[in-house]
Amino acid sequence: MKRIFFVIGALVLNAGAAFASDELCVALKDTALFADAKLKKEVRPIFQFDGAQFKPETKDGAVMYGMAYDVRMQQMLEKGSFVRASDWTCEAAGKSDTSKSEKEYDANAEACRLELSDTRLTVSATSLVFYESSCDVVDEKAGDGGARIMSLNCYGSGDEWSLQGVLKDVKGGGLSLEIDGKAQIYVPCGS
């Protein structure tokens, strides 16, 4: 029996190597990571609005096996897990190169030099990404002086909420983000 399992396992791993995931998946609904291919042993809940990502190594019908990551691409578990394929939508990684349109900011230049900062803000045309939460731009209007007045749908830690925000350019290439009447100034990171 062990020999059969080993052979099947080797075939799955080889098929996974051929698959060599160049896909990245996001959750379509609240779901879970599982320790077994029969999806009986749940090891971690995944909430759709946490921005969890899954990089499949193998696909077998209704089940995918691979690694789960948070919005900062930090592994959620130390080892791979199984997921229900229908709970995720996948597309080829790099299919839409948004990295050129994203800009990173932080509270100060010292924080920019850190690999991981809890005050980091990544801004794109469609989202604002913070340390443990993200906001999608639902609606946007132009304000005075080139300000972006945005309606935001935010999510993190299994919760979802709506906000109004105003993003303005400031001297030196930085920006100001005002939410609920409180503004935070960010400096640009990188070149």
Side-chain angles (χ1 to χ4, degrees):
M1 183 68 161
K2 286 183 183 178
R3 183 176 290 170
I4 292 170
F5 179 75
F6 177 74
V7 170
I8 290 171
L11 288 173
V12 168
L13 288 175
N14 287 336
F19 178 66
S21 178
D22 56 349
E23 287 185 301
L24 193 60
C25 310
V26 293
L28 292 170
K29 61 182 181 178
D30 291 348
T31 185
L33 302 178
F34 296 90
D36 64 318
K38 292 184 179 181
L39 307 176
K40 301 287 184 195
K41 203 186 235 184
E42 184 177 315
V43 291
R44 189 181 197 285
I46 297 293
F47 300 102
Q48 176 187 4
F49 297 108
D50 279 343
Q53 301 169 83
F54 189 78
K55 190 163 177 51
E57 293 174 19
T58 62
K59 287 184 178 181
D60 183 19
V63 178
M64 294 188 295
Y65 176 81
M67 294 299 293
Y69 300 90
D70 64 16
V71 294
R72 306 298 278 170
M73 286 307 285
Q74 302 293 317
Q75 287 183 355
M76 292 183 158
L77 299 173
E78 291 181 17
K79 58 184 181 177
S81 55
F82 296 88
V83 297
R84 188 175 295 108
S86 62
D87 292 351
W88 300 80
T89 182
C90 305
E91 69 177 45
K95 184 176 178 183
S96 58
D97 185 12
T98 58
S99 61
K100 292 177 184 169
S101 63
E102 291 181 346
K103 293 184 181 176
E104 286 192 335
Y105 299 87
D106 216 317
N108 56 52
E110 289 175 29
C112 280
R113 288 190 285 272
L114 298 173
E115 183 178 339
L116 186 61
S117 167
D118 60 3
T119 54
R120 184 81 32 95
L121 170 63
T122 304
V123 178
S124 76
T126 59
S127 67
L128 303 178
V129 178
F130 302 91
Y131 176 63
E132 290 184 331
S133 61
S134 297
C135 297
D136 293 330
V137 178
V138 177
D139 188 37
E140 182 174 339
K141 294 184 251 181
D144 295 336
R148 294 174 63 187
I149 301 170
M150 301 174 290
S151 295
L152 304 167
N153 188 35
C154 303
Y155 45 91
S157 300
D159 292 325
E160 181 178 2
W161 62 97
S162 296
L163 291 173
Q164 298 296 314
V166 179
L167 201 59
K168 300 177 189 175
D169 291 329
V170 295
K171 194 173 169 182
L175 51 85
S176 168
L177 175 60
E178 181 182 327
I179 294 178
D180 294 333
K182 296 177 184 153
Q184 169 70 44
I185 303 295
Y186 292 90
V187 299
C189 295
S191 51

